[in-house]
Short mmCIF file of all heavy atoms in Angstrom, two decimals:
data_model
loop_
_atom_site.label_atom_id
_atom_site.label_comp_id
_atom_site.label_asym_id
_atom_site.label_seq_id
_atom_site.Cartn_x
_atom_site.Cartn_y
_atom_site.Cartn_z
N GLU A 264 -81.77 -131.67 37.42
CA GLU A 264 -81.09 -130.51 36.86
C GLU A 264 -82.10 -129.55 36.26
O GLU A 264 -83.02 -129.95 35.55
CB GLU A 264 -80.10 -130.94 35.78
CG GLU A 264 -79.30 -129.78 35.21
CD GLU A 264 -78.20 -130.23 34.26
OE1 GLU A 264 -77.95 -131.45 34.18
OE2 GLU A 264 -77.61 -129.36 33.60
N ILE A 265 -81.95 -128.27 36.57
CA ILE A 265 -82.80 -127.22 36.03
C ILE A 265 -82.04 -126.57 34.89
O ILE A 265 -80.99 -125.96 35.09
CB ILE A 265 -83.16 -126.19 37.12
CG1 ILE A 265 -83.88 -126.89 38.27
CG2 ILE A 265 -84.02 -125.07 36.54
CD1 ILE A 265 -84.06 -126.02 39.50
N ASN A 266 -82.55 -126.71 33.68
CA ASN A 266 -81.78 -126.34 32.49
C ASN A 266 -82.03 -124.92 32.01
O ASN A 266 -81.38 -124.47 31.07
CB ASN A 266 -82.09 -127.31 31.34
CG ASN A 266 -81.57 -128.71 31.63
OD1 ASN A 266 -80.46 -128.87 32.11
ND2 ASN A 266 -82.40 -129.71 31.38
N ILE A 267 -82.98 -124.23 32.60
CA ILE A 267 -83.36 -122.91 32.09
C ILE A 267 -83.22 -121.85 33.17
O ILE A 267 -83.65 -122.05 34.30
CB ILE A 267 -84.82 -122.93 31.57
CG1 ILE A 267 -84.98 -123.92 30.41
CG2 ILE A 267 -85.25 -121.53 31.12
CD1 ILE A 267 -86.40 -124.09 29.94
N ILE A 268 -82.57 -120.76 32.82
CA ILE A 268 -82.55 -119.57 33.65
C ILE A 268 -83.51 -118.56 33.02
O ILE A 268 -83.37 -118.21 31.85
CB ILE A 268 -81.13 -118.96 33.72
CG1 ILE A 268 -80.21 -119.83 34.56
CG2 ILE A 268 -81.17 -117.54 34.30
CD1 ILE A 268 -80.39 -119.71 36.04
N THR A 269 -84.51 -118.12 33.75
CA THR A 269 -85.47 -117.16 33.21
C THR A 269 -84.81 -115.79 33.09
O THR A 269 -83.78 -115.51 33.72
CB THR A 269 -86.71 -117.06 34.09
OG1 THR A 269 -86.33 -116.48 35.35
CG2 THR A 269 -87.33 -118.43 34.34
N ALA A 270 -85.43 -114.93 32.30
CA ALA A 270 -84.91 -113.57 32.14
C ALA A 270 -84.88 -112.84 33.48
O ALA A 270 -83.94 -112.08 33.78
CB ALA A 270 -85.76 -112.80 31.13
N GLN A 271 -85.90 -113.09 34.31
CA GLN A 271 -85.95 -112.45 35.62
C GLN A 271 -84.82 -112.95 36.52
O GLN A 271 -84.17 -112.18 37.23
CB GLN A 271 -87.30 -112.72 36.28
CG GLN A 271 -87.46 -112.05 37.64
CD GLN A 271 -88.83 -112.30 38.25
OE1 GLN A 271 -89.67 -112.96 37.65
NE2 GLN A 271 -89.05 -111.77 39.43
N GLU A 272 -84.56 -114.26 36.48
CA GLU A 272 -83.47 -114.83 37.28
C GLU A 272 -82.11 -114.31 36.80
O GLU A 272 -81.23 -114.01 37.62
CB GLU A 272 -83.50 -116.35 37.20
CG GLU A 272 -84.64 -116.97 38.00
CD GLU A 272 -84.76 -118.46 37.76
OE1 GLU A 272 -84.47 -118.91 36.64
OE2 GLU A 272 -85.15 -119.18 38.70
N LEU A 273 -81.93 -114.22 35.47
CA LEU A 273 -80.67 -113.70 34.94
C LEU A 273 -80.46 -112.26 35.36
O LEU A 273 -79.34 -111.88 35.74
CB LEU A 273 -80.67 -113.81 33.41
CG LEU A 273 -79.39 -113.31 32.71
CD1 LEU A 273 -78.16 -114.07 33.21
CD2 LEU A 273 -79.52 -113.43 31.20
N ARG A 274 -81.53 -111.46 35.34
CA ARG A 274 -81.39 -110.08 35.78
C ARG A 274 -81.04 -110.02 37.26
O ARG A 274 -80.25 -109.17 37.69
CB ARG A 274 -82.70 -109.32 35.51
CG ARG A 274 -82.59 -107.82 35.73
CD ARG A 274 -81.53 -107.20 34.83
NE ARG A 274 -80.78 -106.16 35.52
CZ ARG A 274 -79.58 -105.76 35.20
NH1 ARG A 274 -78.94 -106.33 34.19
NH2 ARG A 274 -78.97 -104.80 35.87
N GLY A 275 -81.61 -110.95 38.05
CA GLY A 275 -81.28 -111.01 39.47
C GLY A 275 -79.81 -111.34 39.70
O GLY A 275 -79.16 -110.77 40.58
#
Side-chain angles (χ1 to χ4, degrees):
E264 183 173 351
I265 301 170
N266 293 316
I267 299 174
I268 289 282
T269 67
Q271 182 178 359
E272 287 172 327
L273 181 58
R274 189 59 219 157

